[in-house]
Structure formats: structure tokens, C-alpha cells
Amino acid sequence: MPQYTPPVRDTRFVLEHVVGLDRYANVTGFAAATPDTVDAVLEEGGRFVAEVLFPINQSGDLEGCTRHDDGSVTTPKGFKEAYAQFVESGWATLSAPEAFGGQGLPHVVSTAFQEYMISANMAFAMYPGLAHGAIAALLAKGSPEQQAQYLPKMVSGEWLGTMNLTEPQCGTDLGLIRTKAEPQADGSYAITGTKIFISAGENDLVDNIIHLVLAKTPGAPDSSKGISLFVVPKVLVNEDGSLGARNAVTCGSIEHKMGIHANSTCVMNYDGATGWLVGEEMKGLAAMFIMMNAARLGVGLQGLALGETAYQNAVQYAGDRRQGRALTGPAEPGEKADTLFVHPDVRRMLMEGKAWTEGLRALCLWGALQVDLEHNAGTEEERQTAGDLIGLLTPVIKGVGTDKGYEIATTAQQVYGGHGYIREWGMEQYVRDARIAMIYEGTNGVQAMDLVGRKLAMNGGRAIQLFFKVVGEEIAAAKGDAATADFAARLEKALGDLQASTMWFMGNMANPNNIGAGAVPYMHLTGIVAVGLMWLRMAVAAAKLKAAGEGDAAFLDAKLVTARFYAERVLPETGSLKRKIEGGADAVMGLPPEMFRAA
């Protein structure tokens, strides 16, 4: 049977030494994030997910969701009760605005809790997780009346929310959507169309679900410029806030998926459903990106979270399972065999999992800090800096985070050997669940194209130049300390590969296919450098604490050894990625389509 322990100690280390929560007490929301409060969130949140959510993860996957003839959906046994506890305990409200009933804590603090929740039960975490994007869109684009009507109960968790973008004929290319919005005499719109792949589209956890739906009004351009956003509640809301009549939106079916079985992924049918315009007509794309950017950071966190729990189980199994002998001779002569830990290749797999999960945790939490600073920092310069950094790194966190999360899950499965392929051990569920994160909220290829096609050139390359500056300055500082000089030198070389690849793109844009062919390698190159920056910061902190005789010596030594592993085994990959980018598009695009087919 699988197990999960929230990595509270590592989260504390990152929040203190990478994020530096104590440095932001003057930023809105951070004054409430006292050490005692943050400790309570981590400890109590960790206990909640471990005791309430994790025990129903495997059973929920086996049972799945059930759609009934009337279009209603029942979630797996225990989910409704667990969700009631989630709401009652206030976990839904951590970083939501106090004006709508939230606790107003920094986004970075709620992100730490969300990691634990996803690790414990990803399918469950998606129900409140999808509501976050809808809340963000209504906060940014909703009218005061819409905010007052929907946000208090969405923030509390009494109501859930969804994002309805995809249709059978279009996914990434949203200009192809066919859902129509016909204006009505009372100012509302009649929404008609079909949406697919709608996570948490229908469920029995709450009395109302607030759908945010992309549609086109009459006469709108037949492109992405004609998209508008509408709020369409499952149940209409009366002026006094009570629930009224059922709206004309139903779940037509539940998708039969590879993983996340306990989350109801629905085909949603809108049959003249009553909706209201959010923001300006034909400005839905901007509102959509608010939802998508929030969701993409959350999906990147899913990669980390599933990698973490799979890694934890692989470590446990490697310590229990006895197979063969150490290459240097029996490690435990009194036993018939040594544990898997004596084998260098098993150690390699586990070290890769440790290096990437701890590095990605730091990157996700540091990224969440940038979200906080972009909205609440005291000066325009600070807000712009944070916005540039998180804008640049959002596709990296999503793309690299989920690629590596899936890789860690499959590697953890490999540690188990044949047992990893058997359902009872739980590894195959983590592999199946992790796979979707590379696909939804924009496939990772789309993330890579967003990075190289939009983010690099935005504002004259301001964001990437800022990133180069941040990494370069911290490398220069670390080179002066013998404890971190070697890591800094290796990261400097990796940064040089990233800078050279960026310049190669700039000089080879005459053929746009060069950009497309090199986009994914470039995204991963950027991710290695970004996580490398996090490991540099962790190594610097660990070295200082160790020199001062502070902290847990074994924990700090583990940080330094893992940083060395990252430097010696991961950073060198930037050279091969650079060469792939410089290979251009000729061979990638050279074959005619018919040559891909069997004779």
C-alpha cells in the first residue's frame, strides 16, 4: 500500500531561505504570515491531507465518478464528507481576499498547502483547485454585482467553479469555438453549445457550480478576437443570494480517462442556459488568460506534488526490498541479500527524484512569491520585476514541472520492478495521474511555444534579460565562497548555454520553424537553469548554516550533497539541449508527410 508524509521540514527551509518570507512583512498580506501562522498551516494542513484525503485516494481511483440518468454525478465514497471537512476547516479560504471572506494570506503560503493536498489526492484537489481560476477571473473582470453575488460562497468553498474552454473541434485554437451567446432583453445571454474535458463540471460536493464559459456573440469575428466570457451558474441565484431554478446546463457524459478517475471530467451541454457577460464583449481572451495562468502554475505544482509522493514511496520500497549484493561486497553479511539502496542505478533514480522534487518545490514557491509581489509590492518597479519573472517562468513551471513530475513517477515505478506495475502498490496510479498534467491547460509543446514565441520578445526581451541578470548576480556572489564556488561555476556554464541559445534564436528567426523545432529543448534548458538557481540558493543557505553550527546537520549535509548531484548530473544537460536547438528545423521538417506512414 502507498504512503505519504507531507515534507514540512523541506517546505519550511524553502520558505525561510529561498523565499525569505520574513523580508516581506511590509507587503499586503504578509504581516499575517507570522512564523506561528505558517507553521500552523503546514502542520495542520499536512495532518488534514494525510488523515482525511490520502486514505481515499486509491479507493477513489478504483471507484471513480458515476453519472446518473438525470445528468447528476456522484463522486467516490468519502469525497463528499472529506470536502465538507475541507470547507469547515477553512482550507479553501487561505489566500482569498478578506473582502469576500478569505483569510488574506500570501499566495505562497496557500501554494505550500496545495502541494500537500495534490500529493495526497490529486483528483480531490482538482475540485477546489479549478475554482481558484474562476475566482481570479471574477476578481479581475467581474462587475461589483457579479463579485458580490458569486465570490463569497466560491471563496468559502460552499460553491465550486469551473472553466469551460475546450470544444470537440478545438482545444488550443480557441478561435474555432462554436458556442453561441444570444443577447436577451433583460441583459442576460442565452448560451448554447457543447464543452468537453470540463474538470469538476458536475458533482455532488456542493449545491451550486459557477461555470465560466467562452462563447461568441452574434456578429463577432470568427477568430479568437470574437471570444467573450460569460458566468453561467448551474443553479440560478436569486437577488437575496438564495438558490432559484436549475439552469439549462447539464453533464452529458463523463470522460473515460487514463487517470484522475475520482474527478468528474464532463461533457457539458448548454441548451440556452442563462449567462451574463464578464468584462467587455469580445474581450474574453484576456479574461481567459487570467484563468489559464493561474491554472498553469497550479498544474506545474501538480507535477511536483505527484513526483514527490511517488518518490517517497520509492524510497520506502528501496529501503525494505532486498535484492542482490552491493558491487563492493555484501553490505549486510548477516542478511541473505542487501536492500536496493546499495545499487548505484537505484541510487541514481532516487537522487534524480530528490534533486528535482526539492528543486521544483523551491521554484514553485518562489514563483508563488512573484505572484504576490506582482499584485502587492510597494513600488511599480517591484511589481514589474515580479510580473516579468513570473510571466517568463509560468510556461517553464508548467512544462518542465509536469514533464519531470511524470518522469519521476515512472522512475519511482521502475524502482519497484514488477511490483510497480501492480495496482496494489499504488505506483501505476501516480503514473496515470501524472500523465494528464503534461496535456491539459495547454500541452507542454504549447507552453514551450509560449515561452519562445511570446515571452522572449515581450517588451524588447526585458524579462529574459532580467532573468539572466538575477542568475548572473547570484552566481558571482556564490563564486566567492569555497563551499559554493564549484556549483556556481557549473551553473555559470549552464547560463552561458541558455544565453547562447537565446542569441541563436534571435539570429535564426527568418525561418519560424527554427523556433518551433527548438522550443521544447529551450524550455527545458531554461528550467534546468531556473531550478539550478534554486539549488544555488539552497546550497548557499545550507553552507552558511552548517558553518555557523545551526540547524540539523544531517539535513544540511543532504542539501549540499543533492546540490552537488544536481551540478554534476543535471546541469551538464544544458550543453546537449543547446546543440539540439542549434540543429535547427531542416531535419525536423524535411520528410514529406507520406514518408511517416507505413508502406
Side-chain angles (χ1 to χ4, degrees):
M1 292 292 290
Q3 62 178 12
Y4 172 64
T5 301
V8 173
R9 179 170 62 173
D10 197 61
T11 304
R12 282 198 187 104
F13 180 83
V14 171
L15 291 176
E16 183 174 351
H17 298 291
V18 176
V19 172
L21 275 184
D22 59 325
R23 299 198 298 269
Y24 301 100
N26 62 331
V27 176
T28 301
F30 280 77
T34 63
D36 286 346
T37 298
V38 173
D39 274 351
V41 170
L42 300 182
E43 293 287 353
E44 295 303 318
R47 185 175 296 109
F48 172 80
V49 304
E51 295 178 358
V52 178
L53 302 187
F54 183 72
I56 58 173
N57 180 52
Q58 196 171 30
S59 61
D61 176 71
L62 291 172
E63 181 183 347
C65 295
T66 303
R67 179 189 177 275
H68 305 285
D69 290 341
D70 62 358
S72 64
V73 170
T74 302
T75 53
K77 182 180 178 181
F79 270 54
K80 188 171 184 177
E81 293 78 9
Y83 187 78
Q85 291 184 57
F86 171 82
V87 172
E88 183 179 351
S89 300
W91 295 116
T93 67
L94 284 178
S95 60
E98 293 177 282
F100 297 103
Q103 298 181 48
L105 287 170
H107 179 62
V108 65
V109 175
S110 66
T111 296
F113 169 73
Q114 286 163 17
E115 180 204 328
Y116 299 170
M117 184 163 59
I118 297 164
S119 283
N121 194 323
M122 175 172 163
F124 179 96
M126 289 173 65
Y127 288 102
L130 268 295
H132 292 163
I135 289 170
L138 287 172
L139 282 170
K141 299 294 183 179
S143 67
E145 293 77 16
Q146 289 170 343
Q147 292 176 353
Q149 188 169 36
Y150 301 115
L151 286 180
K153 290 192 176 181
M154 293 178 72
V155 164
S156 70
E158 293 176 73
W159 294 348
L160 288 172
T162 70
M163 301 183 294
N164 284 236
L165 285 64
T166 307
E167 299 183 9
Q169 77 286 349
C170 71
T172 301
D173 190 354
L174 289 169
L176 299 176
I177 68 170
R178 297 173 184 160
T179 300
K180 298 297 182 184
E182 296 284 347
Q184 305 297 296
D186 63 357
S188 67
Y189 289 77
I191 312 297
T192 302
T194 297
K195 299 289 185 178
I196 64 171
F197 305 158
I198 308 306
S199 300
E202 176 61 43
N203 59 76
D204 61 347
L205 303 182
V206 293
D207 294 330
N208 205 5
I209 302 172
I210 310 305
H211 303 290
L212 290 186
V213 184
L214 293 184
K216 291 181 178 177
T217 52
D222 193 19
S223 68
S224 61
K225 295 180 179 178
I227 295 173
S228 299
L229 181 67
F230 298 88
V231 58
V232 186
K234 169 185 169 178
V235 182
L236 298 173
V237 181
N238 297 320
E239 288 187 10
D240 63 0
S242 62
L243 294 180
R246 176 67 190 263
N247 208 349
V249 51
T250 57
C251 169
S253 65
I254 296 177
E255 305 287 2
H256 299 283
K257 310 184 296 291
M258 175 179 175
I260 53 171
H261 295 153
N263 192 270
S264 54
T265 306
C266 299
V267 173
M268 301 299 296
N269 296 322
Y270 292 84
D271 300 307
T274 301
W276 290 267
L277 183 67
V278 177
E280 298 179 54
E281 186 177 356
M282 292 185 286
K283 298 292 185 180
L285 203 60
M288 179 203 72
F289 274 114
I290 293 170
M291 293 189 288
M292 290 292 287
N293 285 333
R296 285 170 175 173
L297 291 170
V299 173
L301 194 66
Q302 289 178 347
L304 156 65
L306 286 175
E308 169 66 29
T309 195
Y311 162 75
Q312 284 190 21
N313 282 276
V315 168
Q316 180 67 36
Y317 187 81
D320 293 339
R321 180 73 167 177
R322 294 186 178 274
Q323 291 281 289
R325 289 297 192 184
L327 298 177
T328 54
E332 296 181 71
E335 298 286 346
K336 291 183 178 180
D338 293 328
T339 70
L340 294 180
F341 261 106
V342 305
H343 303 300
D345 192 56
V346 173
R347 287 289 192 110
R348 173 192 62 80
M349 291 188 283
L350 296 176
M351 284 299 294
E352 286 175 354
K354 183 175 179 63
W356 275 106
T357 53
E358 292 182 15
L360 285 169
R361 177 172 299 111
L363 183 61
C364 286
L365 291 173
W366 183 69
L369 171 68
Q370 306 314 307
V371 173
D372 284 315
L373 297 179
E374 180 184 14
H375 292 97
N376 297 316
T379 68
E380 176 59 30
E381 181 182 3
E382 291 173 307
R383 291 191 293 273
Q384 177 181 291
T385 294
D388 283 349
L389 288 172
I390 194 57
L392 177 75
L393 293 177
T394 290
V396 177
I397 290 172
K398 195 280 185 184
V400 177
T402 58
D403 276 353
K404 289 300 176 183
Y406 179 71
E407 182 181 311
I408 294 164
T410 57
T411 301
Q413 184 183 41
Q414 187 76 9
V415 170
Y416 278 73
H419 290 293
Y421 205 66
I422 303 303
R423 177 175 289 174
E424 69 176 287
W425 290 90
M427 289 297 99
E428 58 86 33
Q429 181 190 345
Y430 297 131
V431 172
R432 289 186 288 105
D433 285 355
R435 189 64 185 87
I436 185 56
M438 303 160 72
I439 298 172
Y440 59 14
E441 305 304 344
T443 66
N444 287 356
V446 170
Q447 303 305 314
M449 283 303 297
D450 178 43
L451 175 64
V452 300
R454 294 180 63 248
K455 301 300 177 59
L456 288 188
M458 191 175 290
N459 299 310
R462 187 176 71 200
I464 190 66
Q465 293 301 324
L466 171 63
F467 181 65
F468 292 160
K469 181 174 181 289
V470 169
V471 179
E473 288 177 349
E474 297 198 30
I475 287 172
K479 286 174 73 175
D481 187 332
T484 53
D486 181 69
F487 189 104
R490 292 173 186 267
L491 182 58
E492 186 173 44
K493 187 177 187 305
L495 177 62
D497 289 335
L498 179 59
Q499 291 170 321
S501 297
T502 305
M503 292 306 297
W504 189 89
F505 273 150
M506 297 302 104
N508 289 272
M509 295 180 71
N511 179 3
N513 283 335
N514 284 328
I515 307 301
V520 168
Y522 186 89
M523 178 181 72
H524 278 275
L525 203 169
T526 308
I528 289 172
V529 172
V531 172
L533 174 63
M534 299 299 107
W535 268 114
L536 178 63
R537 291 178 174 180
M538 289 189 283
V540 167
K544 287 181 178 178
L545 289 169
K546 187 178 178 183
E550 300 174 9
D552 181 332
F555 176 81
L556 298 175
D557 283 340
K559 281 291 180 191
L560 292 169
V561 171
T562 310
R564 179 183 172 189
F565 177 90
Y566 191 88
E568 295 177 355
R569 304 284 297 213
V570 179
L571 287 178
E573 295 175 14
T574 61
S576 64
L577 291 168
K578 172 177 171 286
R579 288 190 290 275
K580 285 183 180 182
I581 292 165
E582 293 172 348
D586 289 349
V588 174
M589 304 300 293
L591 283 181
E594 60 269 19
M595 294 305 295
F596 286 86
R597 300 183 176 92

